[in-house]
Amino acid sequence: SGLYYWGPKTLNLIHAVQEWRHAGLPVCFTIDAGPNVHLLCEGPHQPELEDVLRPLLAELSAGCIYSRPGGGAWLVSPA
């Protein structure tokens, strides 16, 4: 029990991620200040994640943006 501020679509995705992890797919999620769920996995697992995610995105009428880690920090000279 508890108080959840997320809507049913967000909760459906969270539960799906938990099921995928239980089934052995190493994927994690995080949520920003809005309703956006971010899924994280290592590169070799991306195709498998895309396969299980695709039907759920269609069901939720949701989209997906794929990204990779950035190049790291660098020094910028003061203006």
Side-chain angles (χ1 to χ4, degrees):
S1 75
L3 179 62
Y4 295 96
Y5 292 97
W6 304 307
K9 290 181 178 184
T10 302
L11 289 170
N12 286 347
L13 183 52
I14 290 170
H15 291 144
V17 170
Q18 292 169 334
E19 290 174 13
W20 299 334
R21 285 185 61 80
H22 183 71
L25 177 60
V27 58
C28 298
F29 73 90
T30 185
I31 300 175
D32 61 16
N36 304 311
V37 180
H38 301 266
L39 303 184
L40 308 169
C41 73
E42 293 182 353
H45 301 285
Q46 182 178 344
E48 183 181 358
L49 177 58
E50 289 178 20
D51 288 345
V52 296
L53 185 58
R54 191 172 296 110
L56 185 57
L57 289 176
E59 178 184 322
L60 298 174
S61 300
C64 188
I65 299 171
Y66 298 98
S67 63
R68 295 192 171 359
W74 65 92
L75 294 176
V76 177
S77 56

